[in-house]
Amino acid sequence: MFLACFCGATLMADETLIIDDRRSGGLESTLGNNWRIITDGVMGGVSRGVLSLATVANKACLRLQGDVSLANNGGFIQAALDIGATAAADASSYAGLELVVYGNDQEYNVHLRTDDVWLPWQSYRAVFRAPTRWQSVRLPFDQFTGYRIGNKLDLEHLERIGLVAIGRAFKADLCVAEIRLSRA
């Protein structure tokens, strides 16, 4: 398989663009930007979460854990990665995202933000289930729907990817070993 380096990201035979494969050993993604945690505390909620590095079932991963609470109009914890100044910002030639995940058999969201998104609650969202074993999940861009935004998803101007536990009170435990843009 052909590997090439492009603007801090690895291309594999032009089929995918790796956003993060956990090779950094830290919170830094393969693209060079750092993952960070955002909770509903930014709007008065009381959900609690932590973003850590882990090894689960022999795979290095980014792990989002916590308690999602609906109290005080809350209801989310998020691992966020700003990608606006990277090779992944223009995803127009890709079909979607592929994630390698492990979890607690709960549903999670991927939220995409573009330069059209102005308000903190706006995003383009897709849902996936994180099983209790490592599994590859594909999320075609045409499955992402706008949340409180009327604009169509602009794949040429992605700014942030969020891995989100949201919408109901539950214990979140999501591990992500890889995330990439995929042409398939």
Side-chain angles (χ1 to χ4, degrees):
M1 183 177 296
F2 172 73
L3 294 172
C5 186
F6 178 70
C7 197
T10 303
L11 292 174
M12 299 179 71
D14 292 327
E15 297 290 322
T16 65
L17 175 76
I18 296 173
I19 294 170
D20 198 2
D21 61 8
R22 303 312 312 138
R23 284 188 216 178
S24 76
L27 291 177
E28 185 177 347
S29 72
T30 304
L31 294 174
N33 296 352
N34 286 333
W35 288 95
R36 61 190 168 100
I37 189 158
I38 302 171
T39 70
D40 57 20
V42 299
M43 55 185 229
V46 296
S47 296
R48 303 245 182 235
V50 63
L51 189 58
S52 63
L53 307 172
T55 300
V56 174
N58 299 315
K59 280 190 185 268
C61 61
L62 185 72
R63 191 170 199 173
L64 177 66
Q65 293 176 288
D67 294 306
V68 179
S69 170
L70 301 179
N72 276 7
N73 296 314
F76 76 90
I77 60 174
Q78 175 179 190
L81 181 66
D82 292 326
I83 61 169
T86 71
D90 181 356
S92 60
S93 64
Y94 294 92
L97 288 171
E98 185 175 333
L99 296 84
V100 177
V101 299
Y102 188 109
N104 56 351
D105 204 31
Q106 295 291 314
E107 285 189 347
Y108 295 90
N109 283 17
V110 171
H111 290 189
L112 301 177
R113 293 179 61 88
T114 67
D115 62 0
D116 291 331
V117 175
W118 293 91
L119 301 171
W121 52 82
Q122 294 176 318
S123 61
Y124 299 91
R125 301 177 176 190
V127 177
F128 67 95
R129 182 167 294 278
T132 57
R133 67 189 188 304
W134 285 109
Q135 180 175 328
S136 180
V137 175
R138 289 181 176 236
L139 299 172
F141 286 129
D142 62 9
Q143 289 183 5
F144 282 78
T145 57
Y147 181 78
R148 296 189 177 181
I149 189 166
N151 298 350
K152 184 180 173 190
L153 176 58
D154 180 3
L155 294 171
E156 291 182 8
H157 297 99
L158 293 182
E159 292 198 346
R160 182 191 300 159
I161 295 174
L163 307 170
V164 190
I166 190 168
R168 66 194 188 291
F170 74 106
K171 284 204 174 293
D173 191 358
L174 173 64
C175 301
V176 179
E178 296 178 31
I179 183 168
R180 63 184 72 223
L181 293 172
S182 175
R183 294 194 199 279

